[in-house]
Amino acid sequence: MKNCKQVSPRALLVFGEDWGRHPSSTQHIVRSLAAERRVIWVNSICLRRPKLSWRDLLRVTDKLKQWWRGGSESSQSTAIATPKQLTVIAPLVFPAARSSLIRKLNVWLVNRQINKVRQRYAIGSLDLWISLPTAVDWLGHHNESHSLYYCGDDFAALAGVDHQHVSECEAQLVQRVDSVCAASKTIQAKLQRLVGARKRVELLPHGVDIRLFSAPTERPTALSTNKPVAGFYGSIASWLDIDLLANLAQAMPHWHFVLIGAIETDVSALTAIDNIELIGAVPHQQLPSYVQHWQAAILPFRDCAQIKACNPLKLREYLASGTPVISAPFPALQPYRDYVQQVTSLVQWQAALSSCQRPVTASWRRHQQLAVAAESWDIRARQVNRLLQSW
């Protein structure tokens, strides 16, 4: 019998958001893939042009610092650990360029950075993973064996995006890549309409770090209140129902409401309320110590296009923590309807929170954690590996 030589998986070139800025689904899956593959991660090519604002000025400055600090690479991460086999490139580009000449210049600039890393690690064949539609210009430039578009958001409904430009890029991208994957059924249906019968859009839902969120942790010192706590973490953005939170906190002064995350919308209605606490973003590894010690983990979403298309990572993390979950209804909740209290009015929110004041039993925690037991990031990574290896 002939000896069978095991073939190592091809390297992976990824165009995603800034590594470590937010622990996205792409980052979690790619981190698992990096256990067996060499990965080149290219930070965000941007989804819109900068505006004349302090926020955008700071963002541009930060991007320039990333590029300058590491030359062609940046390995700094605050939200998620960087695997040894993953190299992060901070690209030098003109953000969300429209001119064909500038777009070609962007491709040339970034390809120089990518090729330096390929030469350093003697990377031959590779697969291409794109998570941001504006990276469509890099398709076909690296003789990729397989190209994949993974869509984790409905960009047409996402705040802070140049919708027309990104939609045009996405329409080109889904036609040209070998495979298309979507994080939710709503996004899957939308992309399937774009590609028609030419290819099948695969469903690749978000996963969860079950070990991280289910392992018991100590209560953080920042959570010093003696009141029962209702907590949320994630971007404090326009898709949160700020009015609902304000009314709920005022109606339930014996509860403490904790919101963890970067503030991206007007929260003036919340800051004057004594039992609402706004905490800035904390490292992803520290989130279990908060959510495990809340009496309720909440998803107070508005009814909007972005939420209808979303499949939030935090939902699975909440469930893995064993903490009771209360949420406004949205489509991605359906598989978990037996584990989440869905509420639509202030009175229902009050009743749901009141029910969470009872101690949570160990059997309920196990029951809730079993809901996501088969949805680890390693399982999601194996799904991607099977897709890539089929080509």
Side-chain angles (χ1 to χ4, degrees):
M1 181 183 292
K2 293 183 180 180
N3 292 327
C4 294
K5 184 178 179 181
Q6 187 173 2
V7 178
S8 299
R10 294 183 292 267
L12 187 63
L13 173 61
V14 182
F15 285 83
E17 66 287 335
D18 287 357
W19 178 265
R21 190 173 179 86
H22 299 291
S24 69
S25 188
T26 298
Q27 293 186 36
H28 284 295
I29 295 173
V30 169
R31 186 175 63 160
S32 292
L33 293 173
E36 298 180 353
R37 295 171 179 257
R38 172 68 62 181
V39 176
I40 304 173
W41 179 284
V42 182
N43 277 348
S44 175
I45 302 298
C46 300
L47 295 171
R48 65 175 176 84
R49 291 175 175 175
K51 298 179 181 178
L52 290 175
S53 68
W54 278 112
R55 181 181 173 187
D56 282 4
L57 178 60
L58 291 173
R59 184 81 175 109
V60 169
T61 302
D62 182 55
K63 298 285 280 185
L64 289 172
K65 283 180 180 178
Q66 286 181 24
W67 172 78
W68 179 259
R69 196 163 45 222
S72 64
E73 298 179 51
S74 169
S75 60
Q76 301 200 5
S77 171
T78 57
I80 190 168
T82 305
K84 290 182 179 179
Q85 290 214 108
L86 186 144
T87 301
V88 183
I89 290 178
L92 180 63
V93 294
F94 294 91
R98 304 293 188 279
S99 160
S100 59
L101 180 61
I102 299 299
R103 289 173 71 166
K104 288 178 182 178
L105 178 59
N106 278 348
V107 170
W108 180 80
L109 288 168
V110 177
N111 282 349
R112 286 187 65 200
Q113 295 176 274
I114 293 170
N115 289 332
K116 286 180 181 178
V117 179
R118 293 189 68 172
Q119 291 169 10
R120 180 179 310 162
Y121 296 108
I123 295 174
S125 61
L126 53 73
D127 296 319
L128 175 63
W129 172 308
I130 292 177
S131 288
L132 300 182
T134 46
V136 63
D137 293 339
W138 280 265
L139 266 174
H141 282 267
H142 292 275
N143 195 29
E144 53 267 16
S145 300
H146 184 83
S147 58
L148 180 149
Y149 172 43
Y150 174 63
C151 184
D153 288 293
D154 181 359
F155 292 104
L158 195 63
V161 170
D162 185 333
H163 297 120
Q164 180 177 348
H165 176 61
V166 172
S167 295
E168 289 171 357
C169 289
E170 186 173 64
Q172 296 175 37
L173 184 60
V174 295
Q175 299 295 338
R176 295 175 55 191
V177 293
D178 298 314
S179 298
V180 180
C181 296
S184 74
K185 290 184 178 180
T186 303
I187 298 173
Q188 181 188 32
K190 172 193 170 183
L191 296 181
Q192 193 65 69
R193 289 193 295 271
L194 279 178
V195 298
R198 292 182 57 252
K199 65 186 76 168
R200 182 174 182 270
V201 177
E202 304 286 341
L203 183 64
L204 183 65
H206 298 309
V208 61
D209 190 333
I210 296 170
R211 289 186 293 273
L212 175 64
F213 280 87
S214 63
T217 61
E218 293 185 4
R219 185 183 180 98
T221 56
L223 206 59
S224 58
T225 180
N226 292 321
K227 296 178 179 180
V229 177
F232 168 89
Y233 63 76
S235 297
I236 315 301
S238 59
W239 51 81
L240 286 186
D241 194 334
I242 301 298
D243 291 338
L244 168 70
L245 284 167
N247 292 333
L248 190 57
Q250 289 173 328
M252 304 190 77
H254 56 291
W255 274 75
H256 191 68
F257 294 83
V258 174
L259 306 178
I260 298 174
I263 297 174
E264 300 176 1
T265 192
D266 180 10
V267 293
S268 57
L270 305 179
T271 53
I273 302 174
D274 291 340
N275 59 329
I276 292 182
E277 182 178 7
L278 296 169
I279 300 176
V282 304
H284 187 255
Q285 297 290 322
Q286 294 179 18
L287 290 175
S289 67
Y290 284 89
V291 66
Q292 287 180 16
H293 295 280
W294 295 339
Q295 279 61 55
I298 61 174
L299 294 171
F301 291 146
R302 291 176 52 241
D303 183 14
C304 60
Q306 183 168 344
I307 294 303
K308 287 177 179 176
C310 81
N311 192 343
L313 275 67
K314 63 179 69 64
L315 169 60
R316 291 169 176 80
E317 293 170 349
Y318 284 178
L319 292 169
S321 75
T323 299
V325 183
I326 307 172
S327 177
F330 59 98
L333 273 181
Q334 282 307 106
Y336 310 101
R337 58 186 178 274
D338 294 334
Y339 309 93
V340 178
Q341 293 190 69
Q342 297 187 54
V343 291
T344 59
S345 69
L346 179 62
V347 171
Q348 289 178 355
W349 271 99
Q350 290 177 260
L353 283 173
S354 296
S355 72
C356 292
Q357 290 184 254
R358 297 190 295 268
V360 179
T361 64
S363 61
W364 169 259
R365 288 189 186 275
R366 287 193 296 272
H367 171 70
Q368 183 170 298
Q369 289 164 346
L370 283 173
V372 293
E375 300 187 58
S376 71
W377 291 117
D378 289 340
I379 289 174
R380 295 291 183 250
R382 286 199 288 273
Q383 290 177 276
V384 174
N385 257 332
R386 286 195 294 269
L387 181 61
L388 294 175
Q389 291 170 1
S390 67
W391 285 72

